[in-house]
């Protein structure tokens, strides 16, 4: 079986020779002196050739002017089809466009701004799916007083991961230096619902996290049971007098060393 090869037409010589025509078209669009040297041409099809010129504008380094010329069948006159500025190899390009919902970052919402939530947002679930120990929630919803949507399992998991890995979680310098965890602090106010097992709110006005959601294994120096250790007692350095001395009177012993006594052997 042989591969099918696409027929490549030879460049039209009349279009290849129309370099001056292509340059004049580029100069009409650019500022004077911007189209530089001729970088070559490329055949686009039957009697269609694109000429490339260097761009001298310092704001468009690496770009090039592309002017496409063509001629009708059996016609001798070459005309300009289009002219455009295109990026070349190494050209500085704008970042890929992203919708606003993907460009938004925490803290971008200002006073008066509205942030609509999509109907298929996976962070939310219908309000009737909310489960709680209070059986009156379902009755409240049936009367039309409940919330239309509540936090879904995915939304809770994302929030828990974000809070736990953030600056109010356990992996921060202030938490590492804390005397104990927030879960043992008297100022730790547990959240309601399923998140109470991992998070609470700090109520210590002197703590850096006052009024913020903190992880149970977070901590700071304002712990309710933090105690100031008493300063260690310094041991007194013993005083040794190596310059003076005391005269000690020699006491007489019980044996007279000057007397000689027979020991009973020779």
């Amino acid at each position: 079986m042989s591969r099918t090869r696409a027929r490549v037409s030879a460049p039209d010589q009349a279009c290849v020779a129309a370099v001056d025509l292509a340059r004049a078209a580029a100069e009409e669009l650019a500022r004077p002196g911007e189209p530089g040297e001729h970088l070559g041409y490329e055949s686009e099809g039957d009697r269609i050739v694109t000429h490339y010129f260097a761009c001298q504008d310092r704001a468009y380094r690496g770009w090039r002017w592309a002017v496409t010329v063509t001629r009708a069948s059996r016609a001798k006159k070459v005309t300009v089809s289009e002219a455009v500025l295109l990026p070349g190899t190494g050209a500085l390009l704008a970042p890929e466009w992203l919708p606003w919902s993907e460009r938004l970052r925490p803290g971008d919402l200002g006073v008066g701004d509205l942030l609509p939530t999509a109907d298929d947002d996976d962070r939310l679930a219908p309000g009737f799916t909310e489960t709680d120990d209070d059986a009156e929630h379902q009755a409240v919803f049936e009367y039309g007083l409940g919330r239309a949507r509540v936090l879904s399992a995915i939304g809770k998991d994302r929030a828990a991961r974000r809070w736990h890995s953030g600056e109010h979680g356990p992996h921060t310098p202030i938490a590492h230096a804390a005397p104990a965890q927030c879960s043992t602090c008297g100022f730790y106010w547990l959240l309601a619902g399923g998140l109470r097992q991992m998070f609470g709110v700090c109520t210590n006005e002197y703590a850096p996290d006052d009024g913020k959601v903190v992880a149970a294994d977070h901590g700071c120096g304002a712990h309710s049971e933090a105690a100031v250790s008493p300063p260690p007692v310094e041991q007194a350095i013993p005083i040794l007098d190596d310059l003076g001395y005391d005269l000690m009177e020699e006491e007489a012993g019980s044996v007279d060393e000057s007397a000689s006594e027979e020991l009973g052997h020779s």
Side-chain angles (χ1 to χ4, degrees):
M1 181 178 64
S2 61
R3 293 185 178 179
T4 303
R5 296 184 179 180
R7 184 177 64 89
V8 179
S9 59
D12 185 80
Q13 295 302 316
C15 294
V16 171
V19 177
D20 295 338
L21 176 65
R23 181 183 293 276
E27 290 177 348
E28 290 182 3
L29 298 178
R31 290 183 295 184
E34 284 187 2
E37 61 176 330
H38 184 244
L39 301 178
Y41 64 88
E42 182 179 355
S43 178
E44 304 288 352
D46 294 339
R47 299 180 302 278
I48 303 176
V49 173
T50 299
H51 292 273
Y52 296 99
F53 301 91
C55 180
Q56 304 296 331
D57 192 343
R58 291 181 295 177
Y60 288 88
R61 292 182 179 179
W63 290 62
R64 55 184 182 173
W65 289 100
V67 182
T68 302
V69 296
T70 185
R71 69 182 180 90
S73 177
R74 298 183 181 181
K76 296 182 179 180
K77 185 177 181 181
V78 178
T79 58
V80 176
S81 176
E82 63 177 352
V84 67
L85 187 61
L86 297 177
T89 304
L92 180 62
L93 301 176
E96 183 180 358
W97 182 85
L98 294 175
W100 67 267
S101 58
E102 298 182 19
R103 297 196 307 266
L104 195 64
R105 293 292 180 267
D108 291 347
L109 196 66
V111 178
D113 295 339
L114 297 179
L115 180 60
T117 305
D119 295 336
D120 57 349
D121 195 323
D122 56 3
R123 298 174 300 172
L124 300 174
F128 62 82
T129 62
E130 183 179 17
T131 58
D132 201 292
D133 295 337
D134 190 356
E136 296 182 358
H137 277 271
Q138 183 65 24
V140 171
F141 178 81
E142 292 176 355
Y143 283 106
L145 302 177
R147 292 179 291 171
R149 288 189 290 178
V150 295
L151 200 62
S152 65
I154 296 178
K156 293 179 181 179
D157 181 69
R158 290 182 181 177
R161 291 176 181 270
R162 185 173 63 254
W163 294 349
H164 195 263
S165 61
E167 60 181 12
H168 307 300
H171 309 298
T172 57
I174 192 172
H176 292 167
Q181 297 181 353
C182 290
S183 59
T184 60
C185 181
F187 298 105
Y188 183 70
W189 192 353
L190 291 173
L191 293 182
L195 293 177
R196 67 181 289 119
Q197 298 179 1
M198 295 182 59
F199 302 99
V201 178
C202 178
T203 62
N204 190 344
E205 59 181 319
Y206 300 107
D209 301 320
D210 179 39
K212 300 177 182 178
V213 176
V214 294
D217 46 358
H218 183 62
C220 71
H223 195 280
S224 61
E225 309 308 319
V228 179
S229 301
V233 179
E234 298 183 359
Q235 296 293 335
I237 301 176
I239 301 176
L240 298 178
D241 186 5
D242 55 356
L243 297 179
Y245 59 91
D246 297 329
L247 295 176
M248 305 295 294
E249 295 182 359
E250 183 178 0
E251 297 180 358
S254 59
V255 178
D256 186 5
E257 297 178 354
S258 60
S260 59
E261 182 179 357
E262 294 292 339
L263 298 180
H265 63 274
S266 58

